[in-house]
Amino acid sequence: WLKPLSRFDGRSARRAPIIASSPRGGEKNPKKKSKKAMAELIAAVTGSGSNAAEAEGGEEAPAQTPDALKSGVSNPHMGEDGDIDAFCQYHLRQTSCTSWDPENKQYDWAPVRSSPEKLGEITGSVGVQLYFNFVKQMGCLFFVMFLLSLPMLIFNLNGSMLSSTSALNEYIGKASIANIGNCPTGGCRSTEEYENRCLFDGDCGEDGLKVKDVAQTLGLLDGLALLLFVVFGSYFGNYAIPKAVHLFDAATLTPADYTVCIAFPPRFLGGSGKSEQHQDYKGLLKKHFINVLKNLPKEDGPVDDEEAVNRITLVYEYDGQVREFMTKGNYLREKKNAIQLGAKYLENGKEAKAKKQEARVIKFDEKIDKIDEHFAKESSIPEKERAVCRAYITFQKIEYMNKVLWHYRFAKYRLFRLCQRAELQFEGNKIFIGQAVEPGDLYWENLDFNEYKRLMRRALTIFLSILVLVVCSLLLVSVKASTTLETENEYDTWIIKHEPTEGTSACLRICSWDLYKKSSCKGYESSSSTWPASRQFTLNSQASISYSPSSGTSEVCTPIWESPGCTNSGTEEALAKDWLGIQFDEEREVGCMEIIQSTSTERVADLRIYGCNSAALPASNSTADWEPADYCIPMQVVHPDVDFAVGDTGVHSDDLRVVKDASCGAAVEIEAARAALAREDDVTVNCFCTQQLMADPNLIRPPFESPAQLVCEDWSKDQAFTYGMMIVGVLGVCILNQVLLVFFQFLVGFERLATVTDVTQSQLWKLFLAQFVNTGLLTFLVNWKLQSVPAPLMVITEPLSIGKGAYYEANGAWFEAVGCALLITVLTQVFSTTFTPVIMARVVAPLKRKFIVMQGTKVTKEVLAKVYELPSWNIALRAAQTMNVICCVLFYSGGMPLMYFIGMMYCFTAYWLDKYTLLRGSHRPASYSEEVMNTCMGFFPIAVLLHATFACFVLGNPDLLPSDWSSLKGFAEGLFGVSSDQYIEIREEWEVASSDRKDELYGDYFRTRFLDFARMSSWLLMLIFLVGIVYYILYYLDLYLLGPLFAPVKAAIRECFKKLGCCKPKVEEVETQKTYEEAQVVIKRNGLPVTYEMSDNRWYSHAAEAVQHYHARASSLIQAPAQEAPAEEAKEEEKPEEAKEEEEAKEDAV
């Protein structure tokens, strides 16, 4: 079972069993006879004697030595044969993010306080260095942005415009722009009062500070914060990244500093792989570049050095099957482990366990045979005859590489390649040369994959990614669709009651009472003037008059409706009777009311409105003991105007807003709570239960036995369900993100990308898109009430319930319900995304490693080395999660400045925990290039445009942040196609429109919201919004049209400027004089690959073993003629009996 296949026909050579189940016939004591054979076999397998390949005639490829044994650094803890435990600990340190200590000759753990530059040096990855620099600087930027938004946050918290039945939603909502300002003591009784509300004190007077006075300042501060974000993005992407890359290259020696890559070299020289030129591909390539250096112009400094090229590595065409070699390499290592483990069990007398290992060896052989059979058709093609996919040329000095790159600088443009000079062509072929990526950045299994097939796969993965996002969105819709926590004021009965102050003798004498659906008291068709009434009633009986709400005016008012409280007014009994009620034929939503009181007596200055359902009303003749407070839902107390002009007989109240009283200002007794529960007064029940919960946290814990618990049982269950669904939504996002990570890893693997950086970039944008949709975008879209969706888009919007929400725009109710859920979801990302890697690296991984070691089934160094490697640190996932939080924070921070604080907290938490995870719980990552962070910077314009759009809609909304028009109003009217007259007409119609009519008007109303961008509070944000739109138009024009056409022209212009002394890099050029041979010592000690050979990359050393094993088998079949097989069989029969018995004893020993 150590011999290779006799032929590639799916059948393997005869395998002897590892142990004999019974003595063979005629043998007296086979164990004694097999001792010598066992010792030889164990020595062969463990490497203490001759290796397995030599023992089997040299056909088996030798095992690849692990990194720790080939790194060029001796292990002070290992003897000649090596202590396994010491080797594993040494290997763990060497493959982790450690640095070499030449004094103590060991690898030391880097301190967690290491700077990003030190992390880049330790990992040999400028991408890692840039990531940590970015997160740290973003944390500082968010801190500055939070300071700029602090005035808005303070003003919001000092407002009183929001009230909610949920304490959590109310607290979070109060931090939003929807809560800014304070109405007077009697409430904002008109639209004018609402727009001119005070900033701190509701009764600030005419000279007090109004919300309108600070609106422009708040908008400018938000715009300034956004401009700082833009400046930082421009600085980091265009200056910090290039400078860091340059300094990294100067300070850190890697093989890429000496190497260039030919991405698409001639596949064959001389027409075929068997030609002499192709066989000498490396020699001709070396000669070509030596000649290029010799023939440089004098001003460029020609180089006459026959050893200028140190090494050439060719990537041969294996038809994308290197991945199969990797699988085979794992099988070979596991097979060797099973052999050694079986021998160990046999030596200890555990024959049953040894038999299991025998079965495992046979299974591994079968799997290896299947892989080799797959390559049978190409078994006769030696490596040197295969097509060449890539070529890596490593020069002796960095200076030589830079000269070659400079000479080929125009070759990356197809237009200039057409005119490539003959001395730059390789064997008559035009070539493109660029600086090579790091050896650790190569995905060897994909380097030989066809480029056109790769493009087709990428297109397919994009389609599948979108499909998966749709499916995941469907799963989240049920828990993401938030409902309005505030129920509408819809009741069929409305009661107006005098809320007397001490010493008053006023009573209700009115000649007009109008109820309106809208909070602005506008719209005749949506008012009580058109609502049929069933009856009017008072404490004593039904009113005897017909309902005529508009029968009076402030100038002429004859009281037509007088409450029973006007009899003996001022007494306690009379005050209790001072109310009037009206029942309509169906439920009516009321948001505003007006009354006219008679001036003949003292006017009522404090009123409370109640809403009731007909089931709670008394019979027509039994109202004597009925109290509105016991059966109806209370609204906030309002204060009508009581001053009148001389000669008037009536006083108009002005507009009185009707809003549920959820302030819970007074303590609620249990009897009142029971009555409220009976009449379905959720507001009073909520106040009672909230107050009880503050006193006794066990209120919501079952079983519900106490009187308070019984009253609050349904409330507790509703609260548990509400927040449970919120938690389910948050956890669902986290779980789906992890599922998407696994799925996208599969998709990215399917794309067959050529470098780790390419794989990381592809994974990054897919993960970012998925997480941003799930975290920040889906909740917004699901709760948006969008009308007139184009038919093609309905294929997506209908299944996802997009546009079927309850909110036409981000108003106060939106911030209480949806904004709260968004903020909590983003807040959970601070902990779920930063602490999870720490737990996996420092808890789960060590326990898993300890469990595997305790099992004792891993005995060879190669297999144990894999066990003792720390988990990988996924920079794609962390960068995607970071950009997701940044974009969500920026998206909604225009209305919720608290988001900036969350972003700052996330960045600082991620900076330290990611460093800790990388340095203490992860193996050394791949050599990521700066392209990872360039991809992240590409998301910055998206975040800026989202913030500008949302902030313009929110800060430009006069209902949320009242402000005057700016001087850009005329410009905006022409740009958005809405005139001032159209704006007023549409908005007035919108205010009084029914729900169905609003659906019809939504398109026109939406256009008027764009005109609001030109208000004083949002004009700067509007300009940023317009610049963002123009940027993306120009960006995509350049990307798909202008760039490909004019790229050569731009390159030529840049070259001219450089010749004139312009556009030179500002950083100082630092070039090491070390030769490649001298640099290898430093590179080895840093634990990095020193060459571009597959066998030198620890991720692919097992694949290199498999390739050697494959060619060893193939060459053995070529060298052994088929006619020798019968001779071998005859020779086997002619063997002496003693020799046969000796072989059988060896097999028994195995």
Side-chain angles (χ1 to χ4, degrees):
W1 40 265
L2 285 174
K3 294 180 181 179
L5 292 175
S6 58
R7 55 187 178 275
F8 286 90
D9 58 357
R11 293 177 295 169
S12 51
R14 181 178 66 89
R15 296 184 177 90
I18 292 181
I19 59 172
S21 57
S22 60
R24 297 179 183 273
E27 295 178 350
K28 295 182 179 180
N29 194 346
K31 289 185 178 180
K32 289 184 178 180
K33 187 178 274 190
S34 64
K35 283 183 178 179
K36 182 178 178 182
M38 181 193 302
E40 292 175 355
L41 178 62
I42 294 174
V45 174
T46 59
S48 57
S50 58
N51 59 43
E54 294 170 347
E56 294 298 325
E59 294 177 343
E60 184 82 4
Q64 184 68 30
T65 310
D67 283 353
L69 300 180
K70 66 176 183 177
S71 64
V73 183
S74 61
N75 184 348
H77 304 290
M78 295 178 60
E80 184 179 347
D81 295 331
D83 176 68
I84 294 294
D85 182 65
F87 161 75
C88 291
Q89 295 295 333
Y90 183 84
H91 180 77
L92 184 147
R93 285 201 172 209
Q94 188 195 33
T95 55
S96 302
C97 298
T98 54
S99 55
W100 174 249
D101 182 4
E103 185 176 345
N104 298 320
K105 295 185 178 180
Q106 65 179 12
Y107 288 95
D108 291 335
W109 299 102
V112 178
R113 64 177 182 275
S114 299
S115 65
E117 290 72 23
K118 183 64 176 178
L119 295 179
E121 178 185 343
I122 293 171
T123 59
S125 169
V126 69
V128 172
Q129 172 185 329
L130 288 169
Y131 168 79
F132 283 99
N133 262 325
F134 172 75
V135 173
K136 181 176 71 173
Q137 294 177 25
M138 270 306 307
C140 297
L141 177 64
F142 274 140
F143 174 71
V144 176
M145 296 173 79
F146 174 68
L147 292 180
L148 290 174
S149 67
L150 200 56
M152 181 189 292
L153 181 61
I154 294 173
F155 296 158
N156 295 344
L157 292 174
N158 281 277
S160 61
M161 304 305 296
L162 293 183
S163 61
S164 173
T165 57
S166 168
L168 178 61
N169 288 59
E170 182 175 355
Y171 293 149
I172 295 178
K174 284 184 178 298
S176 70
I177 193 66
N179 192 54
I180 191 170
N182 292 271
C183 286
T185 305
C188 294
R189 294 175 294 180
S190 65
T191 303
E192 183 180 356
E193 280 192 7
Y194 190 76
E195 292 181 353
N196 290 281
R197 62 185 183 269
C198 300
L199 188 61
F200 294 111
D201 184 7
D203 298 313
C204 60
E206 292 295 328
D207 298 330
L209 189 61
K210 305 290 195 302
V211 173
K212 188 179 291 187
D213 298 334
V214 300
Q216 182 176 10
T217 302
L218 296 181
L220 290 175
L221 287 174
D222 188 75
L224 179 59
L226 187 59
L227 287 176
L228 283 178
F229 186 85
V230 173
V231 170
F232 170 77
S234 178
Y235 155 78
F236 197 86
N238 298 310
Y239 177 77
I241 290 179
K243 181 179 179 180
V245 171
H246 182 82
L247 294 179
F248 179 86
D249 290 341
T252 307
L253 287 178
T254 62
D257 295 329
Y258 295 84
T259 307
V260 299
C261 172
I262 307 178
F264 302 101
R267 294 175 59 80
F268 294 101
L269 296 180
S272 70
K274 295 185 178 181
S275 64
E276 291 184 9
Q277 295 97 316
H278 193 80
Q279 294 289 318
D280 192 29
Y281 203 115
K282 289 186 178 181
L284 293 174
L285 204 56
K286 180 177 180 179
K287 181 179 178 182
H288 169 74
F289 282 103
I290 290 175
N291 289 334
V292 168
L293 288 170
K294 282 183 178 180
N295 297 324
L296 290 175
K298 291 184 178 180
E299 60 270 18
D300 292 336
V303 175
D304 188 7
D305 185 356
E306 295 297 329
E307 301 300 326
V309 177
N310 181 280
R311 176 187 291 270
I312 293 177
T313 301
L314 301 179
V315 179
Y316 290 102
E317 172 69 71
Y318 278 95
D319 197 24
Q321 297 303 325
V322 175
R323 185 172 297 181
E324 298 293 333
F325 283 130
M326 295 173 65
T327 303
K328 179 181 174 181
N330 287 327
Y331 290 157
L332 288 171
R333 290 187 173 184
E334 290 293 339
K335 171 185 169 183
K336 181 178 177 182
N337 183 76
I339 293 171
Q340 188 166 338
L341 185 60
K344 179 181 177 182
Y345 285 150
L346 187 64
E347 188 175 9
N348 295 330
K350 300 178 181 179
E351 296 185 359
K353 290 186 175 182
K355 270 204 162 191
K356 290 182 181 179
Q357 298 306 314
E358 173 191 5
R360 291 189 70 215
V361 171
I362 294 173
K363 286 183 179 179
F364 284 130
D365 272 331
E366 290 173 353
K367 292 177 180 180
I368 292 170
D369 292 347
K370 286 182 181 179
I371 293 175
D372 283 342
E373 182 183 359
H374 183 70
F375 300 134
K377 293 181 181 179
E378 297 185 7
S379 61
S380 59
I381 304 178
E383 189 173 57
K384 286 190 176 182
E385 295 182 9
R386 293 180 176 273
V388 175
C389 302
R390 291 181 185 237
Y392 294 92
I393 299 92
T394 304
F395 293 91
Q396 191 66 20
K397 293 183 178 181
I398 296 178
E399 175 192 358
Y400 300 164
M401 182 203 69
N402 288 333
K403 289 178 181 293
V404 170
L405 286 176
W406 174 257
H407 219 47
Y408 277 92
R409 63 190 180 278
F410 293 113
K412 62 180 178 180
Y413 302 105
R414 291 179 181 271
L415 179 64
F416 293 145
R417 275 206 302 274
L418 293 175
C419 309
Q420 196 172 69
R421 298 196 304 271
E423 63 269 20
L424 296 181
Q425 298 177 19
F426 174 56
E427 295 296 313
N429 296 280
K430 300 177 177 65
I431 57 175
F432 159 56
I433 289 178
Q435 186 169 1
V437 299
E438 302 295 344
D441 197 20
L442 294 179
Y443 247 72
W444 273 92
E445 61 264 45
N446 300 334
L447 290 180
D448 61 343
F449 195 74
N450 185 276
E451 192 67 27
Y452 295 104
K453 290 182 180 179
R454 182 178 291 139
L455 289 174
M456 293 176 64
R457 287 187 175 221
R458 296 200 74 171
L460 180 60
T461 56
I462 292 173
F463 170 76
L464 291 176
S465 300
I466 296 173
L467 184 63
V468 169
L469 283 179
V470 172
V471 173
C472 292
S473 299
L474 285 172
L475 296 175
L476 288 175
V477 160
S478 58
V479 295
K480 284 285 185 182
S482 303
T483 56
T484 309
L485 296 178
E486 292 286 333
T487 58
E488 299 292 344
N489 290 333
E490 293 185 358
Y491 303 98
D492 57 14
T493 302
W494 290 90
I495 295 172
I496 180 173
K497 185 178 185 300
H498 179 201
E499 290 287 316
T501 56
E502 186 176 353
T504 182
S505 60
C507 69
L508 280 172
R509 286 188 179 92
I510 62 176
C511 56
S512 176
W513 181 21
D514 289 300
L515 301 174
Y516 297 86
K517 179 180 179 181
K518 299 306 169 188
S519 59
S520 59
C521 285
K522 294 180 180 178
Y524 176 82
E525 65 275 9
S526 59
S527 71
S528 57
S529 300
T530 60
W531 300 342
S534 300
R535 63 166 176 161
Q536 297 168 272
F537 60 96
T538 63
L539 177 65
N540 296 327
S541 65
Q542 297 189 59
S544 58
I545 63 165
S546 354
Y547 178 63
S548 180
S550 300
S551 60
T553 66
S554 60
E555 293 82 13
V556 180
C557 176
T558 302
I560 61 171
W561 202 354
E562 185 176 287
S563 77
C566 293
T567 304
N568 299 322
S569 62
T571 64
E572 184 176 347
E573 181 182 357
L575 293 176
K577 302 175 183 179
D578 202 5
W579 57 265
L580 302 170
I582 184 170
Q583 181 181 355
F584 298 102
D585 61 345
E586 62 183 41
E587 290 185 348
R588 298 293 182 176
E589 179 185 352
V590 174
C592 183
M593 77 168 194
E594 297 173 328
I595 65 170
I596 298 178
Q597 299 185 73
S598 173
T599 60
S600 59
T601 57
E602 185 179 354
R603 277 75 56 201
V604 171
D606 303 281
L607 292 172
R608 186 185 290 276
I609 317 301
Y610 291 90
C612 310
N613 293 316
S614 57
L617 294 180
S620 60
N621 57 356
S622 57
T623 58
D625 299 325
W626 191 84
E627 282 287 340
D630 295 335
Y631 299 95
C632 300
I633 310 301
M635 306 294 151
Q636 293 179 3
V637 174
V638 294
H639 305 275
D641 190 5
V642 295
D643 297 327
F644 62 95
V646 177
D648 287 351
T649 59
V651 181
H652 190 276
S653 65
D654 284 339
D655 299 347
L656 304 175
R657 296 170 66 89
V658 179
V659 181
K660 281 185 179 179
D661 188 2
S663 60
C664 302
V668 181
E669 300 297 333
I670 192 169
E671 291 79 8
R674 288 195 181 103
L677 185 64
R679 66 176 182 267
E680 298 181 353
D681 180 0
D682 295 335
V683 175
T684 303
V685 172
N686 175 74
C687 289
F688 171 77
C689 296
T690 302
Q691 292 167 2
Q692 293 296 314
L693 182 62
M694 296 296 292
D696 181 15
N698 294 321
L699 177 77
I700 59 175
R701 183 180 301 172
F704 299 98
E705 297 174 342
S706 69
Q709 284 183 316
L710 291 174
V711 172
C712 298
E713 181 175 357
D714 292 338
W715 178 86
S716 300
K717 292 178 180 178
D718 290 341
Q719 294 293 309
F721 178 79
T722 300
Y723 293 111
M725 291 301 292
M726 187 180 294
I727 293 172
V728 168
V730 172
L731 292 179
V733 169
C734 297
I735 293 172
L736 269 181
N737 287 344
Q738 294 301 316
V739 172
L740 289 173
L741 171 63
V742 176
F743 180 75
F744 285 144
Q745 284 177 337
F746 167 76
L747 281 187
V748 172
F750 177 76
E751 288 180 348
R752 306 296 294 270
L753 301 174
T755 67
V756 177
T757 298
D758 290 341
V759 169
T760 303
Q761 285 181 278
S762 178
Q763 201 175 46
L764 193 159
W765 77 259
K766 291 181 177 68
L767 287 171
F768 164 76
L769 182 63
Q771 295 189 17
F772 181 65
V773 169
N774 292 339
T775 306
L777 200 58
L778 187 61
T779 303
F780 178 83
L781 295 177
V782 166
N783 289 281
W784 188 12
K785 192 171 184 178
L786 182 63
Q787 302 299 324
S788 304
V789 179
L793 295 179
M794 293 182 69
V795 178
I796 299 176
T797 59
E798 286 297 319
L800 297 180
S801 299
I802 291 176
K804 296 183 178 181
Y807 308 98
Y808 289 106
E809 58 185 343
N811 52 21
W814 185 94
F815 278 103
E816 284 187 58
V818 184
C820 174
L822 284 167
L823 190 140
I824 292 175
T825 302
V826 176
L827 183 61
T828 57
Q829 298 292 308
V830 176
F831 306 101
S832 63
T833 61
T834 55
F835 283 89
T836 301
V838 177
I839 295 171
M840 296 299 296
R842 298 297 292 170
V843 179
V844 177
L847 289 176
K848 182 180 177 181
R849 181 167 62 247
K850 187 175 182 180
F851 176 75
I852 294 174
V853 173
M854 286 176 62
Q855 284 183 315
T857 57
K858 309 294 183 183
V859 292
T860 61
K861 293 177 181 178
E862 293 88 349
V863 176
L864 273 172
K866 194 69 179 175
V867 173
Y868 271 82
E869 284 184 8
L870 296 175
S872 61
W873 185 72
N874 194 335
I875 191 174
L877 177 62
R878 292 300 300 124
Q881 290 170 338
T882 299
M883 290 308 304
N884 172 44
V885 172
I886 290 173
C887 288
C888 287
V889 165
L890 211 68
F891 189 178
Y892 298 107
S893 56
M896 295 185 287
L898 198 59
M899 282 285 193
Y900 287 131
F901 181 79
I902 294 176
M904 177 189 69
M905 186 167 57
Y906 170 83
C907 287
F908 289 142
T909 304
Y911 177 74
W912 289 105
L913 290 185
D914 281 351
K915 274 209 300 183
Y916 180 78
T917 304
L918 177 66
L919 295 175
R920 293 292 183 272
S922 305
H923 63 64
R924 183 178 284 108
S927 301
Y928 299 110
S929 72
E930 70 279 6
E931 293 303 321
V932 176
M933 291 314 302
N934 283 332
T935 302
C936 291
M937 303 318 298
F939 300 138
F940 264 52
I942 298 175
V944 171
L945 189 59
L946 288 174
H947 178 96
T949 305
F950 184 77
C952 281
F953 276 108
V954 171
L955 301 184
N957 189 342
D959 292 335
L960 295 178
L961 187 64
S963 64
D964 297 324
W965 294 104
S966 71
S967 58
L968 295 176
K969 182 184 178 183
F971 168 74
E973 287 177 346
L975 181 65
F976 299 122
V978 181
S979 66
S980 297
D981 293 338
Q982 289 175 323
Y983 176 89
I984 295 173
E985 180 183 350
I986 294 171
R987 293 299 289 263
E988 286 181 349
E989 187 176 0
W990 176 268
E991 285 292 329
V992 299
S994 62
S995 297
D996 294 337
R997 180 57 180 157
K998 277 190 173 182
D999 293 344
E1000 298 173 2
L1001 287 173
Y1002 186 69
D1004 293 332
Y1005 174 76
F1006 194 68
R1007 286 192 300 118
T1008 66
R1009 294 293 291 110
F1010 279 97
L1011 187 59
D1012 284 327
F1013 289 9
R1015 291 186 178 272
M1016 298 289 287
S1017 57
S1018 55
W1019 65 267
L1020 178 58
L1021 291 164
M1022 182 187 73
L1023 295 179
I1024 298 174
F1025 167 78
L1026 295 176
V1027 170
I1029 296 294
V1030 172
Y1031 166 83
Y1032 268 106
I1033 293 174
L1034 296 178
Y1035 172 79
Y1036 285 109
L1037 278 176
D1038 180 71
L1039 182 65
Y1040 295 111
L1041 181 63
L1042 301 179
L1045 288 176
F1046 296 104
V1049 178
K1050 290 191 291 186
I1053 294 174
R1054 282 197 302 268
E1055 185 67 19
C1056 293
F1057 277 110
K1058 287 181 180 178
K1059 291 289 186 181
L1060 296 174
C1062 302
C1063 301
K1064 290 186 177 180
K1066 295 182 180 180
V1067 292
E1068 183 182 353
E1069 295 287 345
V1070 180
E1071 194 171 274
T1072 180
Q1073 297 301 317
K1074 286 185 178 180
T1075 65
Y1076 179 67
E1077 299 294 344
E1078 296 169 341
Q1080 282 185 354
V1081 178
V1082 180
I1083 297 172
K1084 285 180 180 178
R1085 287 179 176 173
N1086 288 335
L1088 302 175
V1090 295
T1091 70
Y1092 284 82
E1093 301 291 340
M1094 185 192 297
S1095 59
D1096 200 41
N1097 191 323
R1098 67 188 177 95
W1099 304 111
Y1100 297 97
S1101 57
H1102 58 298
E1105 295 176 27
V1107 173
Q1108 293 175 12
H1109 182 272
Y1110 168 69
H1111 285 299
R1113 281 189 161 189
S1115 59
S1116 68
L1117 292 178
I1118 295 171
Q1119 294 171 4
Q1123 60 267 26
E1124 290 185 7
E1128 288 291 333
E1129 294 178 2
K1131 195 177 292 183
E1132 181 77 11
E1133 293 177 357
E1134 293 174 3
K1135 284 185 179 180
E1137 189 67 26
E1138 293 183 1
K1140 289 183 178 181
E1141 290 178 356
E1142 184 67 25
E1143 285 186 2
E1144 289 174 354
K1146 286 184 179 181
E1147 293 170 355
D1148 292 344
V1150 173

